[in-house]
Amino acid sequence: MIKTFVTYPLQFILFVLFQVLILNNIQLGGTVNPYLYILFILWLPIELNKALVMGIAFVLGISIDVFTDTMGMHASACVFLAFARPYVLNILAPRDGYELNVPPTAGGLGWFWFLRYAIIGIFLHHFFLFFVEVFRFSEFFDTLGRVLASSIFSLVLIVLAQVFSSNAEDRR
């Protein structure tokens, strides 16, 4: 339990700093933006209260907004992801349901489950974020292309982060 009170705030700070200081400076062709910080929302415990997850997601998103001057776009996309998360978890639930205290990671629920979970979560976040940014449907296909390209790049980063965190847990 004490590990949780140390681990999650430290991860939160590291995700925000890594996103703001490194990843926000990477733009491929001016259209592809990697967003690794949403992994923090995806990694939150399954049994965590939905309102608490949405509150944490808001604080995470607004932290990114403060550093990037995006006026709540990341906060709204994170809250949308946190809102959709229980429905995604319900769709992907194993036949017997989730075991208590099993983290929603590749190590906890398997790579196949995690990849489906991550792909859906990343796409929902990016779709909401990029369409709120553009705020019109006249450029629907251009924006959808940005969503897909950024989702693929973000998925690669999230899989790498998952591999590195799994290796770190295995060494302990």
Side-chain angles (χ1 to χ4, degrees):
M1 188 70 166
I2 299 223
K3 178 184 168 192
T4 304
F5 288 117
V6 174
T7 303
Y8 284 108
L10 184 62
Q11 281 181 352
F12 182 95
I13 292 167
L14 291 175
F15 274 118
V16 170
L17 288 176
F18 190 71
Q19 183 67 47
V20 170
L21 298 175
I22 297 170
L23 295 179
N24 282 355
N25 295 315
I26 297 174
Q27 288 188 354
L28 303 174
T31 59
V32 178
N33 304 81
Y35 295 114
L36 179 66
Y37 74 93
I38 62 172
L39 183 58
F40 183 79
I41 299 168
L42 297 175
W43 273 351
L44 288 173
I46 294 170
E47 59 274 355
L48 204 59
N49 182 319
K50 295 171 190 174
L52 182 59
V53 172
M54 290 177 71
I56 292 168
F58 175 77
V59 172
L60 178 64
I62 206 75
S63 299
I64 301 296
D65 286 327
V66 165
F67 289 107
T68 57
D69 196 28
T70 49
M71 302 182 297
M73 290 189 304
H74 289 276
S76 62
C78 286
V79 170
F80 177 72
L81 174 60
F83 174 79
R85 182 177 178 259
Y87 299 105
V88 173
L89 288 169
N90 192 30
I91 290 168
L92 299 175
R95 187 175 294 177
D96 299 332
Y98 294 107
E99 293 181 32
L100 199 60
N101 297 324
V102 174
T105 61
L109 293 164
W111 275 102
F112 182 69
W113 181 91
F114 181 77
L115 285 174
R116 291 184 303 156
Y117 174 59
I119 289 168
I120 294 168
I122 292 166
F123 182 78
L124 289 173
H125 174 271
H126 286 32
F127 188 85
F128 190 94
L129 178 68
F130 288 122
F131 276 99
V132 164
E133 180 183 24
V134 172
F135 208 66
R136 63 183 167 272
F137 285 108
S138 61
E139 300 173 19
F140 180 80
F141 291 106
D142 291 336
T143 306
L144 186 60
R146 285 184 63 204
V147 168
L148 293 174
S150 294
S151 293
I152 290 168
F153 194 20
S154 296
L155 179 64
V156 168
L157 289 175
I158 284 174
V159 166
L160 288 173
Q162 182 63 61
V163 167
F164 289 133
S165 71
S166 295
N167 289 340
E169 287 177 10
D170 291 344
R171 280 189 237 129
R172 282 188 240 166

